Amino acid sequence: MFCDCFYWNQENSELELDSSESKPFSLPSPLPRWPQGTGFATGKINLGEIEVVKVTEFDRVWKCSKSRGGKSRCASFYKPVGIPEGFHCLGHYCQQNNQPLRGFVLAARANDPDHHANRPALKKPVNYTLVWSSDSDCYFWLPNPPVGYKAVGVIVTDDAEEPDTEEVRCVREDLTETCETRERILGVGSFNVWSTEPCSRGIWSRGVAVGSFFCSTNDNKADMNIACLKNLDPSLQAMPNLDQVHALIQHYGPTVYFHPEETYLPSSVPWFFKNGALLYRFGKPEGEPINSTGSNLPSGGKNDGSYWIDLPQEDEEVTNNLKKGNIESSELYVHVKPALGGIFTDVVMWIFCPFNGPATLKIGLLTVPMNRIGEHVGDWEHFTFRISNFNGELTQMFFSQHSGGGWVDVSDLEFVKGSNRPVVYSSKHGHASFPHPGMYLQGSSKLGIGVRNDVGKSEYVVDSSERYRVVAAEYLGEGVVSEPCWLQYMREWGPTIVYDSAAEIDKIINLLPLIVRFSIENLFPIALYGEEGPTGPKEKDNWEGDEMC
């Protein structure tokens, strides 16, 4: 089955980028009316003593015409406009010019100003410090907060006069969290601009990104003099309820394409158990069958090497059948969790493949398929789509790629035509996820040496908007989502494998240039000599933490 796909692309030449405004991006289809709930998609989010709104309308203040090294990744700086009455600006926004206008900044108001009259949640700055100015047409100002308050953003003006203190608000210190730099947006001489995010991120973290930026006249990012907000509402009212979760998945659930030459397809976990997977225990040579629900798997604890899952050792036919998987039974296992203090929802979709096939290496112009290197039993991969809790709009997707991965902005996703459902491409044999078809090299792109990840459309398709199961959503409370027994299995989903691969490694070394032969393990980001069995979703760092790029 193939489906028509749509890919939004802002095709501007370098000259056009230097003279035109970034175009705003819109999803291909309108948003539906979400099921009723408490605070999800209402346009405002309660953080305890303050309430915030998301501002996405801007007036451009300044556009940089050059950047460090003379590269064309210039940036524009914007003042938020259309802030609702009673709310106050916290900082200005910036982004690079080679992308559509997609950002936001938060504006805030105090929930009960009379109750905290002596120590209001928001206060005007005392004055400003000029951080940097361009050639008489742009000035960057850091608000100097009163004692006990923090600045959470920077503002930009087009004249040298110090801004009015009414322009922005600082936030009481106990309503803020520490933040850190994320991505360098601009570097001009000694002047640098970075986006920011909370230092602590994950299910239990409460830091809220404001959407503004940090700037400095040196490369030292340690002296962060701005903060993030903190969500002190323990109920996280802006998170979606279970009905809204299902609506989000059915509206945004990606379509997953496996490679047309894929040998090792996904399956459901119950299919894997029912069709011959065995549980082994240290010291016992015989494996035991696993119930389809996983109810006889050891629950909880830690991965201590006492148990592991494996394919039958004596039945080649059953083993080969398990390795092939069963795409007809496959489904996505969904973990829903708060992100960035509960102003976003992360919908994490896990897919299970009974077997991870051998790697294919690229050495210059040569493609070298391996016989065993890269193989292991039990392959868990995932991708994540991030939803704004202000309106239920898709903002980003994380594509997991073996031990890493990366976030992709919604404007750079491919969509199933006529829908807001992104397309995910799963790599041949390794099942890493990517946003577009092609060949992705893990290794040294400069040398053209590494592991090939080949992805493309095929008849092997899983539509996650229909074939999914919500397996966890801790924020909804105990008993709202019934977690399957197998999710509590914290041991390995495959045995530790030692590759008898000396001949294969020698073949690789002989193909390498002499100068890099002694760096073979650094060139190929896979285990060349063997692999420990993979663990399940709950043992991964991103189960409770943020995605690791």
Side-chain angles (χ1 to χ4, degrees):
M1 176 186 111
F2 292 90
C3 67
D4 291 331
C5 297
F6 168 79
Y7 170 41
W8 192 96
N9 187 21
Q10 185 184 25
E11 295 183 352
N12 284 329
S13 69
E14 187 172 318
L15 179 62
E16 290 172 329
L17 281 173
D18 212 36
S19 61
S20 64
E21 192 76 56
S22 292
K23 297 177 182 178
F25 169 83
S26 296
L27 286 165
S29 297
L31 297 184
R33 178 173 291 181
W34 305 113
Q36 288 189 337
T38 304
F40 176 71
T42 61
K44 300 173 184 176
I45 293 180
N46 176 31
L47 302 182
E49 285 193 39
I50 62 175
E51 185 178 50
V52 292
V53 294
K54 178 181 176 182
V55 182
T56 57
E57 294 182 34
F58 302 100
D59 282 343
R60 191 170 70 187
V61 178
W62 182 64
K63 183 172 184 176
C64 175
S65 59
K66 62 181 179 179
S67 63
R68 176 177 290 178
K71 297 180 180 179
S72 60
R73 293 180 65 185
C74 305
S76 291
F77 296 82
Y78 299 89
K79 175 180 178 178
V81 296
I83 297 175
E85 185 176 353
F87 286 82
H88 302 281
C89 175
L90 299 175
H92 288 184
Y93 172 71
C94 71
Q95 69 169 45
Q96 291 172 351
N97 295 333
N98 57 346
Q99 55 187 312
L101 187 59
R102 278 291 301 158
F104 72 93
V105 289
L106 300 184
R109 71 177 177 189
N111 270 331
D112 190 358
D114 295 333
H115 184 68
H116 301 279
N118 293 330
R119 294 188 69 235
L122 305 173
K123 263 191 175 183
K124 293 186 287 187
V126 176
N127 51 30
Y128 297 87
T129 295
L130 179 63
V131 180
W132 182 80
S133 64
S134 67
D135 300 329
S136 303
D137 63 350
C138 184
Y139 302 82
F140 288 75
W141 304 92
L142 175 69
N144 293 317
V147 175
Y149 289 76
K150 290 277 191 179
V152 294
V154 176
I155 66 172
V156 184
T157 63
D158 57 6
D159 63 60
E161 185 177 350
E162 184 173 324
D164 195 306
T165 56
E166 189 64 40
E167 183 74 21
V168 73
R169 290 294 186 271
C170 301
V171 182
R172 205 173 69 224
E173 193 168 5
D174 61 309
L175 305 180
T176 67
E177 283 273 18
T178 57
C179 65
E180 62 187 9
T181 59
R182 183 182 183 189
E183 175 190 11
R184 188 196 301 270
I185 297 173
L186 182 68
V188 179
S190 63
F191 179 64
N192 298 282
V193 177
W194 294 272
S195 61
T196 62
E197 61 185 359
C199 292
S200 176
R201 299 180 299 280
I203 291 181
W204 313 115
S205 302
R206 292 295 177 260
V208 174
V210 174
S212 190
F213 57 91
F214 169 69
C215 59
S216 172
T217 52
N218 57 58
D219 279 327
N220 182 16
K221 299 179 284 185
D223 186 22
M224 285 285 289
N225 44 22
I226 63 172
C228 291
L229 297 178
K230 181 191 290 187
N231 190 346
L232 294 175
D233 175 19
S235 66
L236 295 179
Q237 292 182 30
M239 290 293 294
N241 61 31
L242 190 55
D243 288 340
Q244 292 167 331
V245 165
H246 285 295
L248 288 168
I249 296 171
Q250 289 157 17
H251 186 72
Y252 291 119
T255 293
V256 186
Y257 281 101
F258 291 83
H259 193 271
E261 298 175 8
E262 183 59 77
T263 309
Y264 308 104
L265 291 165
S267 77
S268 69
V269 170
W271 182 91
F272 180 59
F273 293 160
K274 286 189 294 187
N275 283 271
L278 298 174
L279 175 67
Y280 287 82
R281 184 171 183 171
F282 184 76
K284 291 190 175 183
E286 299 293 326
E288 64 176 280
I290 305 170
N291 297 338
S292 63
T293 62
S295 59
N296 62 327
L297 291 171
S299 178
K302 61 181 181 179
N303 183 25
D304 55 8
S306 298
Y307 297 89
W308 63 93
I309 296 172
D310 200 358
L311 309 180
Q313 302 299 311
E314 307 300 329
D315 194 327
E316 186 175 347
E317 184 178 349
V318 172
T319 294
N320 289 337
N321 182 55
L322 282 169
K323 284 183 177 182
K324 292 176 184 177
N326 180 262
I327 197 168
E328 290 77 17
S329 71
S330 64
E331 55 188 355
L332 279 294
Y333 299 108
V334 180
H335 180 208
V336 189
K337 59 181 185 175
L340 297 179
I343 68 169
F344 292 95
T345 295
D346 276 0
V347 180
V348 189
M349 295 194 133
W350 292 91
I351 193 160
F352 176 72
C353 295
F355 196 74
N356 191 100
T360 300
L361 307 186
K362 183 178 186 298
I363 303 175
L365 298 177
L366 298 176
T367 294
V368 186
M370 296 290 97
N371 292 325
R372 290 207 62 204
I373 291 175
E375 286 188 345
H376 61 81
V377 175
D379 189 26
W380 281 103
E381 298 291 346
H382 77 279
F383 50 85
T384 299
F385 59 90
R386 179 164 286 178
I387 302 295
S388 168
N389 289 344
F390 287 99
N391 57 3
E393 190 173 80
L394 175 66
T395 63
Q396 288 178 299
M397 274 193 69
F398 182 84
F399 291 81
S400 172
Q401 293 143 15
H402 308 298
S403 59
W407 286 101
V408 175
D409 189 79
V410 65
S411 62
D412 197 33
L413 297 175
E414 186 177 320
F415 292 90
V416 175
K417 192 172 182 180
S419 79
N420 289 335
R421 292 185 287 115
V423 175
V424 173
Y425 293 92
S426 179
S427 66
K428 180 183 176 183
H429 290 187
H431 312 125
S433 57
F434 294 91
H436 302 292
M439 192 281 286
Y440 296 82
L441 185 68
Q442 282 188 285
S444 171
S445 56
K446 183 177 180 180
L447 295 173
I449 297 175
V451 178
R452 287 182 66 112
N453 287 275
D454 293 283
V455 295
K457 280 192 173 70
S458 76
E459 61 183 8
Y460 305 128
V461 183
V462 180
D463 181 355
S464 70
S465 69
E466 296 180 355
R467 291 163 56 180
Y468 71 91
R469 177 182 175 185
V470 178
V471 296
E474 293 89 344
Y475 71 92
L476 289 175
E478 190 174 351
V480 177
V481 172
S482 178
E483 296 189 3
C485 297
W486 55 259
L487 190 60
Q488 313 307 323
Y489 173 70
M490 301 300 179
R491 274 77 172 190
E492 293 173 351
W493 285 72
T496 297
I497 295 177
V498 177
Y499 301 132
D500 182 16
S501 54
E504 286 197 283
I505 293 173
D506 286 343
K507 180 171 68 173
I508 297 169
I509 291 174
N510 290 334
L511 291 171
L512 291 172
L514 288 172
I515 195 170
V516 297
R517 286 187 180 182
F518 297 103
S519 305
I520 181 171
E521 292 187 46
N522 296 324
L523 291 173
F524 300 106
I526 56 170
L528 293 173
Y529 301 97
E531 290 201 40
E532 293 185 357
T535 52
K538 271 200 170 183
E539 281 288 280
K540 310 298 187 187
D541 290 340
N542 73 301
W543 185 268
E544 291 192 350
D546 198 11
E547 300 289 0
M548 302 297 290
C549 299

